[in-house]
Amino acid sequence: MKDKYNRILILTGSGISAESGLATFRSEDGLWNKHRIEDVATIEAYYKNQDYVHDFYNNMKPELWNARPNEAHLAITKLQQEYPAEVNIITQNIDTLHEKAKSKNVYHIHGQINQAVCMNCGHVLETWSDVTSETQCANCSTIGMMKPNIVFFGENLLYMDKVEKLLHTSDLFISIGTSGQVFPAAGFVQTAKYYGADTVEFNLEPTSNNFYFDKHIMGKASQTIPKFVEELIQKIKGS
Ligand SMILES: [Zn+2]
């Protein structure tokens, strides 16, 4: 581990949101909030029964709207504000807890709950209100083509060009609360390491024997992240 970093890349997963009381989405049992994933998170399901799919995400909005960021989110913001480096966040989470914690440079690679995208023109609508099969695109005026801006199974992740660039140019890569099982995100650490980054994994328990991580720190992110951020800031002050 170095004493100073110039560009820090943080990958966050469901573990960081779990401490704000949000259930783990897309769990491995093939269910998502008690719905079968193939009924609510595939493009086939969307075309077959748009309103059913819209209802699923609309119903999720109040809980995600009300969720509050925890100490881990706030510590990341502190790092962005007080550490003299560019700090970017890639999140697999569809909630907006990083934004609520006032973090910047947040890339939602699985999409986000408060957006819908027009399947006709690509226009992105930002709203916490319900989106339905009647919703009209503000850009191309098409009705019934707004899809929740959530990456469905089989679809490409968002912002991957940007992510690749950040993986190639960051000198510290931090993973927080991800299982490290789902590709391509599970491969990010390998790329970051290949391009010379120090790599640290934060998890509740040892979930992988991923040898691309230099350090594994176990425990609640709301406790381990503030401590780690404080140490990074102190190292800068001491140098
Ligand atoms: Zn449109």
Side-chain angles (χ1 to χ4, degrees):
M1 300 286 294
K2 299 195 201 90
D3 285 338
K4 183 183 184 318
Y5 295 99
N6 294 314
R7 184 175 277 167
I8 300 173
L9 182 56
I10 302 175
L11 170 68
T12 65
S14 58
I16 195 169
S17 297
E19 289 190 53
S20 287
L22 296 180
T24 300
F25 298 129
R26 295 164 149 244
S27 61
E28 281 159 15
D29 57 9
L31 295 176
W32 192 357
N33 276 9
K34 302 194 175 84
H35 290 68
R36 291 178 348 146
I37 279 170
E38 53 266 45
D39 292 338
V40 294
T42 64
I43 204 73
E44 292 76 19
Y46 170 78
Y47 281 125
K48 209 169 100 191
N49 197 341
Q50 258 202 54
D51 282 317
Y52 183 82
V53 171
H54 278 305
D55 281 350
F56 175 74
Y57 296 98
N58 288 335
N59 289 336
M60 208 183 271
K61 283 180 178 177
E63 187 189 3
L64 298 193
W65 165 264
N66 285 316
R68 305 308 312 158
N70 62 59
E71 293 301 320
H73 296 101
L74 297 172
I76 292 170
T77 303
K78 182 176 179 175
L79 186 67
Q80 285 190 324
Q81 290 173 348
E82 297 186 18
Y83 194 86
E86 183 185 310
V87 180
N88 294 286
I89 303 165
I90 305 169
T91 186
Q92 296 173 295
N93 300 329
I94 63 168
D95 60 62
T96 55
L97 292 173
H98 286 301
E99 287 85 352
K100 286 178 184 170
K102 298 200 166 23
S103 277
K104 296 193 174 74
N105 309 338
V106 185
Y107 301 95
H108 286 265
I109 57 174
H110 286 173
Q112 57 194 90
I113 189 70
N114 61 330
Q115 287 183 350
V117 59
C118 176
M119 300 290 276
N120 185 48
C121 75
H123 174 73
V124 172
L125 165 74
E126 196 146 326
T127 180
W128 283 97
S129 303
D130 285 358
V131 177
T132 71
S133 57
E134 309 283 297
T135 304
Q136 185 173 30
C137 175
N139 184 55
C140 71
S141 302
T142 305
I143 293 172
M145 292 285 273
M146 299 305 289
K147 171 189 164 290
N149 198 17
I150 304 291
V151 174
F152 288 166
F153 285 81
E155 289 188 303
N156 293 324
L157 300 188
L158 305 177
Y159 305 110
M160 285 309 288
D161 288 350
K162 179 75 184 173
V163 168
E164 278 295 318
K165 278 193 193 114
L166 292 174
L167 288 171
H168 294 184
T169 55
S170 298
D171 52 0
L172 176 60
F173 175 83
I174 300 169
S175 167
I176 305 171
T178 81
S179 68
Q181 308 289 327
V182 183
F183 283 86
F188 289 175
V189 61
Q190 183 177 354
T191 306
K193 189 79 221 156
Y194 179 82
Y195 284 90
D198 285 344
T199 54
V200 187
E201 176 187 42
F202 291 83
N203 243 318
L204 212 45
E205 49 200 22
T207 51
S208 69
N209 295 315
N210 195 326
F211 52 80
Y212 294 106
F213 283 110
D214 300 316
K215 265 178 111 169
H216 305 263
I217 298 175
M218 301 302 144
K220 285 186 164 183
S222 58
Q223 291 164 5
T224 55
I225 301 300
K227 186 164 172 280
F228 184 75
V229 164
E230 207 52 52
E231 285 166 6
L232 282 178
I233 292 172
Q234 288 309 320
K235 267 189 198 167
I236 281 285
K237 286 181 177 165
S239 64

